[in-house]
Amino acid sequence: AQKVTQAQTEISVVEKEDVTLDCVYETRDTTYYLFWYKQPPSGELVFLIRRNSFDEQNEISGRYSWNFQKSTSSFNFTITASQVVDSAVYFCALSEAQRVGSTLTFGKGTMLLVSP
Amino acid sequence: KAGVTQTPRYLIKTRGQQVTLSCSPISGHRSVSWYQQTPGQGLQFLFEYFSETQRNKGNFPGRFSGRQFSNSRSEMNVSTLELGDSALYLCASSLATATSYEQYFGPGTRLTVT
């Protein structure tokens, strides 16, 4: 069975601080897909990134970066120089290979609060 | 391109009633998935439809059902509503190909059962 663990329930930072959101996953599949989503107070889940299990290259997109470590089953997300607009709940999710992206197993989410 | 739309956005129902929620996917997306989000259980997968066929189903009772139409629009139905069905119901669509498989979510329908 698949499982995603986001151990940090809530993180509070002051604007311009860097923050890392942790994600640890469990799966028996050798090929799988990982995702991060952002859920602002409006409720809509916003897609941030996807990663294949066979592509361990880290990725940077503006202030966002992701560190995929297959050896430790982790897919951590770092926000550099955080801003108030980054305040949201962030979800890490896992999908099995056989059904590409069709069944997402989500972590419980990490609520990030960025104060001015 | 328009995003995923869900109607209605808010709904209040009474125990024992039934409800139907609607989802229109992004144009060209053939896969539609439904999720339930509650404070206690988090985000849980309900079912997925692809080309009008249910491809996968989560661990929910038979009171939860869905369907997909030929234009990829999807509906989910909950019969004999219980208080515990109060939740945010999210619909997501995807191209569901090997190279484009991320799911895009709608704003959700917030269902309150009294």
Side-chain angles (χ1 to χ4, degrees):
Chain A
Q2 300 181 106
K3 186 179 177 183
V4 176
T5 301
Q6 294 179 257
Q8 305 149 309
T9 306
E10 189 173 319
I11 300 176
S12 292
V13 299
V14 177
E15 211 170 16
K16 296 182 184 170
E17 282 185 28
D18 297 347
V19 58
T20 295
L21 310 181
D22 298 332
C23 172
V24 174
Y25 61 91
E26 295 174 29
T27 179
R28 294 181 196 166
D29 292 346
T30 54
T31 302
Y32 47 89
Y33 305 86
L34 296 162
F35 307 81
W36 275 95
Y37 284 87
K38 172 183 179 179
Q39 188 175 41
S42 61
E44 185 169 340
L45 280 167
V46 178
F47 167 73
L48 295 177
I49 191 173
R50 68 180 190 202
R51 176 62 70 228
N52 305 329
S53 57
F54 44 87
D55 178 7
E56 290 194 65
Q57 190 172 11
N58 292 325
E59 183 158 336
I60 298 174
S61 176
R63 297 184 297 106
Y64 295 170
S65 62
W66 290 269
N67 186 340
F68 177 32
Q69 299 261 345
K70 206 167 179 178
S71 59
T72 57
S73 297
S74 64
F75 186 40
N76 297 337
F77 172 31
T78 297
I79 301 174
T80 303
S82 59
Q83 299 176 1
V84 173
V85 293
D86 295 327
S87 296
V89 180
Y90 291 86
F91 291 93
C92 180
L94 171 69
S95 175
E96 59 187 344
Q98 290 80 2
R99 300 187 184 282
V100 180
S102 65
T103 305
L104 290 172
T105 299
F106 284 90
K108 293 292 188 185
T110 297
M111 179 178 288
L112 174 64
L113 179 60
V114 182
S115 52
Chain B
K1 211 179 224 185
V4 178
T5 57
Q6 292 185 245
T7 56
R9 292 292 310 279
Y10 303 91
L11 207 49
I12 300 175
K13 289 286 188 179
T14 305
R15 258 183 310 177
Q17 288 185 314
Q18 73 163 21
V19 67
T20 299
L21 312 182
S22 180
C23 171
S24 292
I26 292 171
S27 178
H29 285 194
R30 290 160 62 191
S31 169
V32 174
S33 299
W34 288 89
Y35 294 83
Q36 181 196 65
Q37 185 177 24
T38 59
Q41 299 300 317
L43 279 154
Q44 293 184 286
F45 171 74
L46 279 157
F47 28 65
E48 186 231 359
Y49 287 87
F50 184 88
S51 293
E52 302 179 65
T53 301
Q54 187 181 88
R55 283 207 300 193
N56 206 7
K57 190 176 191 304
N59 189 25
F60 278 81
R63 300 185 297 107
F64 291 82
S65 63
R67 59 177 175 168
Q68 186 180 34
F69 302 95
S70 58
N71 62 358
S72 294
R73 191 177 70 85
S74 177
E75 289 181 347
M76 69 161 279
N77 184 278
V78 187
S79 62
T80 320
L81 283 166
E82 300 177 359
L83 294 178
D85 298 332
S86 294
L88 179 66
Y89 289 88
L90 291 161
C91 165
S93 76
S94 170
L95 278 172
T97 65
T99 55
S100 183
Y101 45 83
E102 58 272 15
Q103 295 185 36
Y104 294 92
F105 284 79
T109 294
R110 186 163 295 282
L111 172 65
T112 302
V113 182
T114 62

